[in-house]
Amino acid sequence: MTVQPVAEQAVVLRLSGSIDVRGAGELGRELGPRLRRADERGQRLVLDMSGVRRLSSTAVDTLDAHTRHRTAGPVLVTGATPQVRGVLTTTHLPGIRLYPTLEGALATVCAGGPAPAPAAPERPRTPESPEPPVAGEARDTVGETSGEVLGLRAKARTSGIIGIAQGILMARYGLPDPAAAFALLRAGSQHHNVPLRVLASAVVTAPPPRTAREWFPGRLHTPPPPVGPQDVEAVNPRDRRQMLTAAVYAAVTLADADAAEIHLTDAGQDEALVLEAHHGLDAAYRDCLALVAGPPAVCARAQAAGRPVTVPDVAADPALAGHPVGRAVLAAGSRALYATPMVTAAGGCGGVVCVHRADPGVWLTEGQTAALDALARDLAAWRSWYRRTVVQDALEYLHAHGSSGG
């Protein structure tokens, strides 16, 4: 167990290894004092379980005994592996909230927003009694979301990574307070037209500056790669929003689709998929798929497999039919999906292009799938260029102005 304070709002207790019966006792002896100390300081306790390989039933009982009374101020659990998550989600733990990433949990704490619903055991459902949201997963918000709620959730998803970037800039350049760090971030974002969240993620994940004068000395500026079809090729490649908007419309046209979406990976959030462009999808669906940390979402399946994934009928897909993601797809009017990963020349995945069809069945021709796959490869090459050119230009701006006190 290691402890890491995070600003004034939270403290992170990192767990690792297999927590068996003996480990459960150690966890209990550590957890009680930590919770009391956090309460005294007005902090939230976050358990980072990304390093936990196995969680015994005794450990789950220990967690429940120390947290069951904390429904108003639950303990946030992040990074759980599928095995650990399965154990936690099949047990009713009213004082625990699950988040896929540490950044997501810290974003909620820093934003002061509502925590997701607690994990609950499976129980039979009927069409009249839909399943409640699953903590930490994409949530079924159809019919219940308002613009205000969606705005709060969107803010919570970005405030965590921005706050971490502010802390890095303050420490690196001796800035007096978070406001000064945010002003520097905002100036770099506006000067190079890089979204604030994207620049903050780059600050968090990039290696430290190599020299006092340059962040990346000796780097070469290469021309942008071509991105077809023609309407995408005509867009300024330095304009991220226009490029992705043109690409999502091109995907709809190429696939004769009813809707489409483009997710990009975010290194600052453990390569989770972030929804960056969309067409023909309602607000509730976009909220549900705004941040995807893993399957069963089809974009995450394509990312994990490194190849295209087809779902002929979401309503008949075993993993999607009863899941909040699947219900969000159906509520948005889609039945069939095709997702193709944006595979880079080095073999990594930079994102996923996904197209929707209102009618079930495999509708794409061989030529259409080839065109979509080519578009995804072109976008992968463009995104790699954008990150090492435009984003690094913005980082150089931060380094120059931060070092000079400007």
Side-chain angles (χ1 to χ4, degrees):
M1 301 180 191
T2 59
V3 179
Q4 175 187 352
V6 179
E8 297 179 354
Q9 297 100 327
V11 61
V12 177
L13 181 61
R14 299 181 185 276
L15 309 178
S16 61
S18 296
I19 307 180
D20 52 15
V21 175
R22 186 177 67 176
E26 296 175 359
L27 175 63
R29 288 189 293 273
E30 184 76 16
L31 194 57
R34 291 292 174 189
L35 283 168
R36 289 192 295 272
R37 194 173 305 169
D39 290 341
E40 292 169 358
R41 298 175 178 177
Q43 295 176 321
R44 295 287 290 278
L45 184 66
V46 180
L47 296 182
D48 182 357
M49 291 193 172
S50 56
V52 176
R53 297 188 300 273
R54 189 179 69 84
L55 194 67
S56 68
S57 58
T58 305
V60 174
D61 292 340
T62 300
L63 281 173
D64 185 36
H66 284 82
T67 63
R68 67 179 62 171
H69 62 288
R70 307 183 65 86
T71 54
V75 173
L76 311 183
V77 174
T78 74
T81 64
Q83 187 276 335
V84 172
R85 186 175 188 82
V87 171
L88 293 175
T89 55
T90 55
T91 308
H92 181 55
L93 301 173
I96 292 290
R97 300 295 184 273
L98 297 177
Y99 288 81
T101 65
L102 177 60
E103 288 77 12
L106 294 179
T108 297
V109 172
C110 294
E122 295 291 330
R123 59 187 176 88
R125 302 285 170 187
T126 65
E128 292 74 29
S129 61
E131 182 179 351
V134 178
E137 297 280 355
R139 295 177 295 277
D140 185 4
T141 58
V142 178
E144 67 170 58
T145 52
S146 66
E148 182 179 1
V149 171
L150 298 182
L152 286 172
R153 289 179 180 171
K155 181 179 179 181
R157 282 189 288 266
T158 60
S159 60
I161 195 72
I162 292 174
I164 296 171
Q166 287 175 265
I168 292 173
L169 295 176
M170 288 172 61
R172 182 172 291 160
Y173 302 119
L175 301 178
D177 50 43
F182 184 81
L184 178 60
L185 266 177
R186 182 174 56 190
S189 168
Q190 293 175 346
H191 188 81
H192 288 280
N193 195 25
V194 175
L196 190 64
R197 173 187 58 79
V198 174
L199 183 55
S201 180
V203 169
V204 172
T205 58
R210 297 178 186 174
T211 72
R213 296 185 60 184
E214 291 183 279
W215 197 317
F216 306 96
R219 69 189 179 106
L220 299 176
H221 281 74
T222 59
V227 180
Q230 187 174 359
D231 50 349
V232 184
E233 179 70 19
V235 174
N236 178 5
R238 298 184 69 91
D239 193 319
R240 186 175 185 273
R241 178 175 296 178
Q242 287 190 19
M243 176 65 72
L244 293 172
T245 299
V248 81
Y249 284 129
V252 170
T253 302
L254 291 172
D256 190 22
D258 298 304
E261 59 193 297
I262 295 176
H263 284 81
L264 298 182
T265 56
D266 186 352
Q269 301 188 75
D270 299 324
E271 300 299 331
L273 292 167
V274 179
L275 181 62
E276 301 281 3
H278 56 84
H279 173 73
L281 298 168
D282 60 28
Y285 177 88
R286 300 196 305 268
D287 177 66
C288 187
L289 275 292
L291 180 66
V292 180
V298 180
C299 56
R301 291 191 202 175
Q303 178 193 26
R307 56 177 174 76
V309 173
T310 300
V311 177
D313 190 353
V314 173
D317 186 274
L320 285 173
H323 193 276
V325 170
R327 291 199 298 275
V329 174
L330 295 172
S334 300
R335 289 289 295 274
L337 302 174
Y338 177 84
T340 181
M342 294 164 46
V343 180
T344 66
C349 180
V352 178
V353 178
C354 183
V355 291
H356 299 229
R357 186 77 169 220
D359 298 322
V362 177
W363 83 94
L364 292 169
T365 66
E366 184 176 342
Q368 287 174 318
T369 57
L372 278 175
D373 295 347
L375 174 63
R377 288 192 299 272
D378 287 351
L379 285 174
W382 163 79
R383 205 250 178 138
S384 295
W385 170 87
Y386 181 87
R387 294 172 75 174
R388 67 177 182 267
T389 304
V390 182
V391 174
Q392 289 189 6
D393 286 348
L395 291 176
E396 292 286 11
Y397 179 97
L398 298 183
H399 190 44
H401 288 74
S403 299
S404 66

